[in-house]
Amino acid sequence: VTEYAAKLGIKQLYSTENMLDIPGRGISCDISGRKILVGSTALMTESGADISEYKDAAARFSEDGKSVIYVCDSGNVIGIIAVADEIKESSRAAFERLKKEGVKTVILSGDNKACAEYIGKLAGADEVYSEVLPEQKAQTLTEIRQKYGPVMMVGDGINDAPALSEADVGCAVGSGSDIAIESADIVLMKSDLSDVPRAIRLSRLTITNIKENLFWAFCYNTVCIPVAAGLLY
């Protein structure tokens, strides 16, 4: 955003006061005595700001998979910013591998429905939950668990920490926030979702190995303990 502002010839960046992070919605601050809000549709609605002028443009951006951020100055919306994450090819491949392993894939997103479903379609997710606030993610995981069984949650942000703790297996991306890593059971060393199916496969092989070891140990003890006790004496 600041690079684009520089291209427009805007050189002055104003200092902010009373900066406040509103989880899942955006931020608010004061600039030169004016109240500035930057965030989602929900934040604008709660503040009473009129977004009708930008409604059509926002809808077009959302349909293209972009998240729309409104900028409001003293109660008046003065513009929108559209941002989008590129889906990595490795992420698509990871979703395909998870499906082959029989794993249901679900996307939990704070974005609006059109944007979240666009991303879900690109990734190949089985199900998409949109407009999920940070505090709702843990509750949504409980609903998913009731539908499908044990849940593995993959996340990287501060907002994902409660859900990572709530999941049966929390999996944090190595480049993510410290609190997400602290809350997780597994940490992916690379920022690559292809490591998720690898982690599941490795876990399954480990459990198989443990069961085989227990089986042979049981057989060995069943035969050898009576012998050691003098059965053949």
Side-chain angles (χ1 to χ4, degrees), residues 2-228:
T2 53
E3 285 175 3
Y4 182 70
K7 289 178 182 177
L8 295 178
I10 300 170
K11 298 179 180 179
Q12 182 180 4
L13 293 178
Y14 295 92
S15 59
T16 62
E17 297 176 344
N18 303 319
M19 177 71 75
L20 177 65
D21 176 26
I22 307 167
R25 283 174 165 78
I27 58 170
S28 69
C29 66
D30 295 330
I31 297 179
S32 303
R34 306 196 313 274
K35 189 70 174 179
I36 305 297
L37 294 175
V38 181
S40 66
T41 305
L43 180 61
M44 298 299 116
T45 303
E46 290 170 4
S47 67
D50 182 10
I51 61 172
S52 58
E53 181 183 348
Y54 298 93
K55 197 171 182 179
D56 292 340
R60 287 198 305 273
F61 285 130
S62 296
E63 288 169 2
D64 291 336
K66 296 181 175 67
S67 298
V68 176
I69 302 167
Y70 293 87
V71 182
C72 177
D73 180 354
S74 304
N76 298 312
V77 177
I78 59 173
I80 57 177
I81 301 169
V83 294
D85 287 324
E86 294 292 329
I87 295 290
K88 296 178 182 177
E89 284 299 325
S90 59
S91 297
R92 274 199 204 92
F95 273 75
E96 289 175 6
R97 283 190 59 188
L98 287 169
K99 285 187 177 182
K100 289 178 182 177
E101 294 279 347
V103 178
K104 286 282 185 183
T105 54
V106 179
I107 288 181
L108 291 184
S109 175
D111 290 330
N112 63 63
K113 186 177 180 180
C115 179
E117 288 184 350
Y118 178 85
I119 297 298
K121 186 177 179 181
L122 285 181
D126 293 311
E127 204 168 343
V128 177
Y129 288 79
S130 59
E131 300 178 10
V132 182
L133 295 175
E135 61 270 21
Q136 294 173 333
K137 285 187 176 180
Q139 179 185 345
T140 307
L141 278 189
T142 302
E143 296 173 10
I144 294 170
R145 184 185 291 115
Q146 290 171 350
K147 286 174 66 175
Y148 300 121
V151 175
M152 180 181 189
M153 166 75 183
V154 183
D156 63 353
I158 294 173
N159 294 337
D160 295 324
L164 289 169
S165 298
E166 173 64 25
D168 297 282
V169 179
C171 183
V173 179
S175 61
S177 64
D178 291 340
I179 190 169
I181 292 171
E182 185 72 23
S183 303
D185 304 297
I186 298 172
V187 178
L188 305 178
M189 299 310 293
K190 296 183 292 182
S191 300
D192 192 340
L193 287 184
S194 61
D195 282 343
V196 175
R198 289 196 193 106
I200 293 173
R201 178 168 160 71
L202 178 61
S203 300
R204 287 175 173 171
L205 289 173
T206 302
I207 291 296
T208 300
N209 189 252
I210 290 170
K211 288 178 178 178
E212 288 175 350
N213 287 345
L214 287 172
F215 172 78
W216 288 115
F218 178 77
C219 291
Y220 173 84
N221 288 329
T222 301
V223 173
C224 292
I225 288 177
V227 173

